């Protein structure tokens, strides 16, 4: 890791979106300005990796990707750093830089925090304020639902035109390019061996690295994995209801929960179905006008009680559902009040998200399945499983990736797969199926947890498990904190 210091210092004060050619070689520019304030005492190097925007285009420009290299707290650190990048697609990794004192990985080795191309602190940043405004308008009360898609199509069109006018090649923003970025970073920094820590969408980046750039990868942790071969949109509604069913089944098997909220699963399903036919009208005061405005909520809207709740809120879910069934709308109104807040600058790179989804997820979806899923479940009828509608991806107009990119990855590299039991976004079954092609993999399931266990700051057991695995990738972590995790202690009103 000390080899990075031989590169000349380059103080990045502005972004040069420079023309380049096939002779271009990736460069790491060290910078004295950072994206976030780092806690005092934490040693680090910060800089920008400069790489081609589109490696398939000989005339491609370059992009600059922020990278933190945090030094281990150990006096004798292990030589193989952890490379960490988060999910989305479109979420920034840089926010984690402020909290390195909590990251256990630094007790043993260096940690490299990597920002994917197109994201908030990368240059260029593929933000789409047009999209945020469209979502805000579509969530206001009495908005004509039939006009939502037209609103989103127009937002995508306007965002695309603005980004393209800046000279941005939207075909350069996908999982393959992000994986190549990390591979080039490893080469530029002269790292011989490293470990990958990935979360949700970024587990796809890990899979591409394992397939195309396996040299030097010592071990991989995939938290809430998304297999390359999965057509996410075709399953998302079914996965949501399956996770909800699992939680309510656990409530029914718990004596106290079942006694206080009897037959909750059936009652909630019937309630959602009835409200799909006869929407629930909820009046909320608009803080800007002081006037009451009414929302009409169907089953697909009310199921958000589950989808918008993180792991820490799981013990309260049966109580919250029961409150709704008894017409206690306190929590519902609180959620609806937030819809009146006008959109601020979003940290999610919607342009990056659209480029990834429209090039490598949407093209492989079976639209017949999508349409069937939208009407298959009476309790949430009208809830589309598609992240983006076909018309939005047609407007975004990026190249479809080869079908080979939608195939499972086979590898002997040691892998730790981590899931939350109630994860409706990346279900347990996906990780279990991946093990068929990953003979040196282990699978940990955290009872009562939802998406992203390693980011559950109130219980860092999953982080501890990941760090234990990095220290010994041949063994499945066998920790007391894992053994002590039981079913949720459901709150009783």
């Amino acid at each position: 890791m000390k080899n990075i210091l031989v590169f000349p210092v380059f103080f990045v004060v502005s972004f040069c979106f420079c023309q380049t050619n096939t002779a271009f070689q990736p460069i790491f520019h060290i910078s004295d300005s950072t994206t976030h304030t780092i806690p005092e005492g934490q040693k680090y190097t910060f800089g920008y990796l400069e790489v081609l925007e589109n490696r398939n285009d000989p005339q491609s420009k370059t992009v600059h990707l922020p990278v933190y290299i945090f030094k281990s707290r150990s006096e004798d650190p292990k030589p193989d750093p952890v490379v960490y990048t988060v999910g989305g697609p479109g979420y920034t990794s840089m926010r984690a830089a402020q909290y390195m004192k909590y990251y256990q990985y630094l007790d043993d080795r260096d940690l490299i925090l990597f920002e994917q191309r197109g994201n908030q602190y990368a240059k260029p940043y593929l933000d789409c304020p047009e999209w945020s405004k469209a979502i805000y308008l579509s969530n206001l009360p009495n908005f004509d639902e039939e006009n939502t898609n037209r609103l989103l199509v127009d937002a995508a069109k306007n965002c695309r035109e603005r980004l393209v006018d800046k000279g941005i090649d939207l075909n350069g923003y996908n999982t393959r390019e992000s994986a190549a970025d990390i591979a080039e970073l490893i080469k530029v920094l002269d790292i011989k061996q490293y470990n990958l820590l990935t979360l949700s969408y970024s587990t796809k980046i890990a899979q591409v690295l394992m397939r195309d750039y396996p040299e030097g990868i010592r071990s991989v942790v995939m938290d809430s994995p998304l297999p390359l071969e999965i057509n996410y949109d075709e399953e998302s509604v079914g996965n949501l209801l399956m996770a909800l069913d699992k939680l309510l089944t656990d409530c029914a098997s718990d004596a106290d929960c079942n006694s206080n909220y009897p037959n909750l699963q059936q009652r909630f399903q019937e309630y959602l179905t009835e409200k799909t036919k006869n929407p629930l009208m909820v009046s909320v005061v608009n803080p800007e006008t002081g006037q009451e405005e009414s929302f009409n909520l169907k089953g697909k809207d009310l199921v958000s009680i589950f989808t918008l709740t993180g792991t820490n809120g799981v013990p309260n879910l049966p109580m919250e559902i029961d409150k709704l069934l008894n017409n206690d709308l306190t929590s519902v109104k609180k959620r609806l009040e937030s819809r009146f807040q006008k959109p601020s600058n979003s940290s999610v790179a919607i342009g990056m998200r659209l480029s990834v989804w429209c090039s490598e997820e949407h093209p492989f979806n079976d639209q017949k399945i999508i349409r069937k899923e939208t009407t298959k479940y009476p309790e949430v009828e009208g809830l589309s499983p598609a992240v983006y509608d076909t018309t939005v991806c047609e407007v975004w107009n990026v190249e479809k990736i080869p079908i080979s990119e939608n195939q499972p990855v086979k590898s002997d590299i040691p892998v730790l797969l981590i899931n939350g039991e109630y994860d409706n976004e990346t279900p347990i079954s996906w990780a279990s199926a991946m093990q068929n092609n990953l003979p040196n993999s282990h699978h940990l399931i955290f009872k009562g947890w939802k998406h992203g266990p390693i980011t559950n700051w109130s219980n860092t057991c999953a982080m501890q498990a990941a760090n234990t695995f990095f220290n010994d990738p041949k063994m499945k972590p066998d920790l007391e904190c894992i053994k002590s995790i039981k079913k949720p202690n459901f709150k009783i009103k």
Side-chain angles (χ1 to χ4, degrees), residues 156-170:
K157 178 177 180 293
N158 293 334
C159 180
R160 186 185 195 283
E161 289 176 352
R162 180 175 52 79
L163 295 177
V164 171
D165 284 346
K166 289 182 178 181
I168 296 171
D169 182 356
L170 296 176

Side-chain angles (χ1 to χ4, degrees), residues 88-147:
Y91 292 166
T92 178
S93 299
M94 295 294 99
R95 221 177 282 160
Q98 308 163 89
Y99 309 109
M100 281 298 129
K101 66 180 180 180
Y102 301 109
Y103 280 75
Q104 299 175 21
Y105 318 107
L106 287 169
D107 292 339
D108 300 293
R109 47 178 52 80
D110 294 352
L111 186 146
I112 299 174
L113 190 61
F114 177 80
E115 181 83 321
Q116 297 157 35
R117 54 175 53 214
N119 287 353
Q120 185 178 9
Y121 295 96
K123 303 174 183 181
Y125 167 34
L126 273 58
D127 62 331
C128 280
E130 302 90 341
W131 187 270
S132 299
K133 182 179 179 180
I135 293 295
Y136 163 73
L137 292 174
S138 67
N139 281 332
L140 291 177
N142 301 317
F143 182 84
D144 186 353
E145 194 171 331
E146 293 182 1
N147 288 329

Side-chain angles (χ1 to χ4, degrees), residues 22 45 47 74 78 131 159 199 254 261 265 288 310 345 404 412 419 434 473 478:
T22 52
T45 299
S74 172
K78 294 177 171 59
W131 187 270
C159 180
L199 167 66
D254 180 284
Y261 315 118
Q265 184 177 18
E288 296 218 352
N345 293 332
S404 57
D412 292 330
N419 277 110
M434 290 177 74
D478 184 24

Side-chain angles (χ1 to χ4, degrees), residues 311 419 474:
T311 293
N419 277 110
K474 295 180 181 179

Side-chain angles (χ1 to χ4, degrees), residues 154-332:
D154 288 345
K157 178 177 180 293
N158 293 334
C159 180
R160 186 185 195 283
E161 289 176 352
R162 180 175 52 79
L163 295 177
V164 171
D165 284 346
K166 289 182 178 181
I168 296 171
D169 182 356
L170 296 176
N171 289 314
Y173 296 84
N174 55 49
T175 303
R176 286 186 303 169
E177 294 287 1
S178 291
D181 293 339
I182 292 178
E184 290 187 343
L185 176 68
I186 296 302
K187 185 176 180 180
V188 167
L189 297 183
D190 194 26
I191 296 172
K192 305 305 180 186
Q193 273 199 322
Y194 70 103
N195 309 279
L196 275 168
L197 177 62
T198 54
L199 167 66
S200 194
Y201 159 71
S202 68
T203 63
K204 291 186 64 174
I205 298 175
Q207 292 165 69
V208 174
L209 281 164
M210 292 165 66
R211 183 194 66 202
D212 296 346
Y213 310 97
E215 301 82 8
I217 302 178
R218 176 176 169 271
S219 68
V220 180
V221 170
M222 298 188 199
D223 178 359
S224 307
L226 173 59
L228 291 183
E229 66 273 20
I230 286 294
N231 296 332
Y232 181 96
D233 289 359
E234 294 178 5
E235 301 186 30
S236 63
V237 174
N239 289 334
L240 160 61
L241 295 177
M242 185 165 51
L244 176 59
D245 178 76
K246 172 62 178 168
L247 181 136
L248 296 180
T249 298
D250 286 345
C251 172
S253 64
D254 180 284
D256 288 338
C257 191
N258 188 55
S259 175
N260 282 270
Y261 315 118
N263 204 21
L264 188 60
Q265 184 177 18
Q266 182 180 342
R267 289 192 294 128
F268 190 39
Q269 183 178 22
E270 291 175 350
Y271 179 85
L272 294 177
T273 302
E274 197 277 327
K275 293 308 175 188
T276 297
K277 298 175 182 177
N278 303 293
L280 174 69
M281 189 177 75
V282 183
S283 295
V284 180
V285 175
N286 184 332
E288 296 218 352
T289 65
Q291 302 296 314
E292 279 199 348
E293 298 191 39
S294 297
F295 292 85
N296 292 309
L297 306 178
K298 298 181 179 180
K300 64 186 180 72
D301 306 306
L302 295 165
V303 79
S304 65
I305 277 185
F306 177 77
T307 58
L308 296 179
T309 301
T311 293
N312 291 342
V314 163
N316 297 330
L317 276 170
M319 179 184 69
E320 291 294 337
I321 292 172
D322 187 72
K323 283 166 60 177
L324 176 62
L325 299 183
N326 287 286
N327 205 37
D328 179 345
L329 304 179
T330 307
S331 298
V332 174

